[in-house]
Every structure is written in structure tokens, then in C-alpha cells.
Amino acid sequence: MSGSERPAGEPSVLPLLAGLAGLVILLFALDVALGSASLSAVELVQALDPRQPADATSTRIVREFRLPKAATAALAGAALAAAGLAMQALFRNPLAGPFVLGISSGASLGVALVLLSAGVGAERLLASVGLGGSVAVATAASLGAAAALGLVLAVAQRVSVVTLLVLGMLFGHAASALVSILLHFSLAERVQAYVVWTFGSFAGTTRGELAVLAGATTLGFVLLALAVKPLDALLLGEAHARSLGVSIGAARLTLIGATALLAGSVTAFCGPIGFVGVAVPHLARGLLRRATHGALLPACALLGAAVALAADLLAQLPGVEAVLPLNAVTALLGAPVVAAIVLRRRIDGAFA
């Protein structure tokens, strides 16, 4: 079947992608327009006008806070959804997500060593080389995620995919145990700082950090785009993929590397954002009716961006100074939707 043809009953992909793109643009605009500080339409337009001075209060709110936050949310949502799609295809498991290989646990351990290390001095060590505050946290998360990735890559081509999944889970439990020990012996204010980080947030990302996040996620998307055909083949099993000429070892390394870039960079700058990477691929399959990954990948990216922007809108409670934990919002927003999809439609066919 040629690339222009599609199975009977499967909707056209382009109108759906265009609709999702429009939804992302709408939610992005709402995320910039709404917040704890009420701004008029005139103030918003003036703030977005590059000819306007940057010292006005409304201009600073929009340019330095809301625009980077909305851009971070869109990038993070797209990255996590695409990474989740890749892991579900690699492991043929509908419950797999971008953090299944222990990347999030490694990042959490790195952050815990910085935020909870009153006696170890890791925070002072990073500060001595000019890495302090949020930069220290992002650096620690990146190093922790890189360490987890190194362990996974060391065994990726030597074991089966099931063993790789188990090893990732075991590493996650071991990292969580070490974090628990650090929490037990830490000061109350340091525990509070770590707990706040685990809530996840799209706010506080600087332009430099946003550029790094955009670069890492772009590279991750490029790697996934190059692995579209192996992703389709892996859904039918590794034996079938080999019969089609797919190099299983190369495909694993590509998918793991892409996931590490996507999920690791998001965790470094936003914290461990739950739900999006597991649930959005199922939402995309429901919309596209089991389309190939050439269509699923952009659909997941757009839908993930939309979900993350919607969650950020709900978390910030427009007109109210209070901010809800982002991870609580993503779970409450997504759990009923995913449950409805699982009950109404058999998803195991995509992983048979």
C-alpha cells in the first residue's frame, strides 16, 4: 500500500493534524493571556510589540514569565508524548512511558543529592563553579539522567527487551530508595524544596534554558523521525522486525537515546511531569485509529503540547495567586480520559 493510501475507515491525517495545531495555538494564546495578574487586551498587544519598552510591568510579565512558560509547556508536552509513544512501541507495553528506563529516577536522585545534601556539600561544590539555584538543580537532574542512561545503554544490546524493562524498573526503585534515605536525614526546609520540585512546573525557565530545552527536544524528534519504520516493525515483534531488515540493536539505541534527550531535558528544567507520556499516545491512537508512526508521531507531539498547555492553564488558576501542583492537575485531568478510552476501546491490538 502506498504512503498516500490509508486503510478503510481510517480518517484523513492532515485535517486532524491541522485541527490539533489550531488547538495548540489557541491554548498557547490563552496561557499567555491568562494568569494571576489580569491584563487587558491592549496591554497584551503592547507587551508583545517589540517596539515597546521592556520596563513596563505588563511587558515584563508577558515577555519574561508567560511567554517562556507557555513555550516550555508546549515543548515539554510534545517531548514527553513522543517519548512515551517510542517506549510503548519498543516494549510493546501500553503502560510504558518516557520514564520507564529510570531516567526520571536518576534525575530525581541527582536533584536530591543537591537539595538534600546539607552535609555532603554537593550544592556548595556546584556553586563554586558558578552553578547555583535553578541552574544547579537542572545540572544535577541532567547528570542524574545521564547516569541512568549510561547504565541502560551499557546493557541495551546484551539483554532482551523484557530484561531491559525490568532493569529500568529496578534502577528506579533503587534510586527512589536512596532518595528516601536522604529525605529521612535532611532538614525540613530542604525536604520542602525537594518536594516542591517533584510537583513539576513549567514556570521559571529562562531564555537560555528554553534554548537548551528546544535544542535537546529538536534532536530527540529528529532521531524519532529517523526511526519511524523500525517503530512500525517493532509493534509486530522483534522477530518480524528482523525479517524486515531492521537492526534491533541500532533501533534500541536510537529510541533510548531519543527518549533520554526528550524526557531527560524536560525533567531537568521542569521536574518529573507525570501522565502526559503514558496517556497521550493512547489519545492519539484513538483519534487516528491505529495509524502508522509517521502520523502518530506528529499527532502525539501536537496533542501532548495541547494537554500540557491545558494543564498549565488549570494549575495557575487565572485571576488567583494560588498555583496548584502541576502533577496533580495532569493526573486529575488525564486519568478519567484514559480510563474511558481503555473501557471503550481495546488497545491491546496495537501491541499484540
Side-chain angles (χ1 to χ4, degrees):
M1 183 172 60
S2 65
S4 61
E5 298 177 349
R6 61 180 187 273
E10 183 177 312
S12 177
V13 171
L14 290 181
L16 285 172
L17 294 181
L20 289 175
L23 178 61
V24 171
I25 294 173
L26 174 62
L27 291 171
F28 188 96
L30 289 174
D31 204 23
V32 174
L34 302 177
S36 58
S38 298
L39 300 178
S40 66
V42 174
E43 289 176 320
L44 282 171
V45 173
Q46 291 177 343
L48 294 172
D49 188 349
R51 297 172 296 178
Q52 295 294 326
D55 55 351
T57 301
S58 59
T59 303
R60 292 181 60 189
I61 290 175
V62 172
R63 294 183 188 178
E64 298 181 13
F65 180 74
R66 292 188 183 178
L67 273 175
K69 180 169 65 71
T72 300
L75 282 173
L80 293 176
L85 178 69
M87 290 297 96
Q88 289 175 7
L90 176 62
F91 293 109
R92 299 175 63 212
N93 187 331
L95 298 180
F99 303 130
V100 70
L101 295 177
I103 294 172
S104 177
S105 299
S108 298
L109 179 58
V111 172
L113 288 172
V114 169
L115 295 180
L116 305 176
S117 58
V120 177
E123 188 174 24
R124 296 200 261 317
L125 177 61
L126 287 173
S128 67
V129 294
L131 301 176
S134 61
V135 179
V137 172
T139 301
S142 300
L143 292 175
L149 173 63
L151 291 175
V152 171
L153 292 179
V155 299
Q157 299 193 64
R158 304 177 185 177
V159 298
S160 68
V161 68
V162 176
T163 303
L164 187 61
L165 178 61
V166 172
L167 289 176
M169 294 177 60
L170 290 176
F171 175 79
H173 286 299
S176 297
L178 292 175
V179 171
S180 298
I181 294 173
L182 289 171
L183 287 170
H184 181 72
F185 291 104
S186 297
L187 301 175
E189 59 269 21
R190 290 178 174 268
V191 173
Q192 178 66 19
Y194 176 77
V195 170
V196 169
W197 179 80
T198 63
F199 288 162
S201 175
F202 298 131
T205 306
T206 65
R207 292 184 180 181
E209 293 170 344
L210 185 57
V212 174
L213 177 62
T217 54
T218 298
L219 182 56
F221 278 119
V222 170
L223 290 176
L224 286 186
L226 296 175
V228 163
K229 290 185 178 180
L231 280 170
D232 290 335
L234 285 171
L235 288 180
L236 300 176
E238 291 189 356
H240 180 80
R242 285 193 183 93
S243 68
L244 296 177
V246 174
S247 173
I248 301 301
R252 282 190 193 177
L253 292 179
T254 300
L255 295 177
I256 291 172
T259 299
L261 283 169
L262 295 169
S265 59
V266 171
T267 305
F269 294 112
C270 307
I273 308 298
F275 160 72
V276 177
V278 176
V280 170
H282 296 311
L283 297 176
R285 291 188 191 95
L287 286 175
L288 300 183
R289 299 182 187 179
R290 293 179 58 188
T292 61
H293 284 84
L296 277 173
L297 183 58
C300 272
L302 291 170
L303 193 55
V307 168
L309 286 166
D312 189 52
L313 273 169
L314 294 175
Q316 69 185 6
L317 297 174
V320 181
E321 292 186 4
V323 178
L324 297 176
L326 182 61
N327 273 324
V329 175
T330 56
L332 292 173
L333 181 68
V337 176
V338 177
I341 291 175
V342 171
L343 292 175
R344 290 179 54 187
R345 177 175 176 276
R346 293 186 62 185
I347 61 173
D348 58 339
F351 301 93

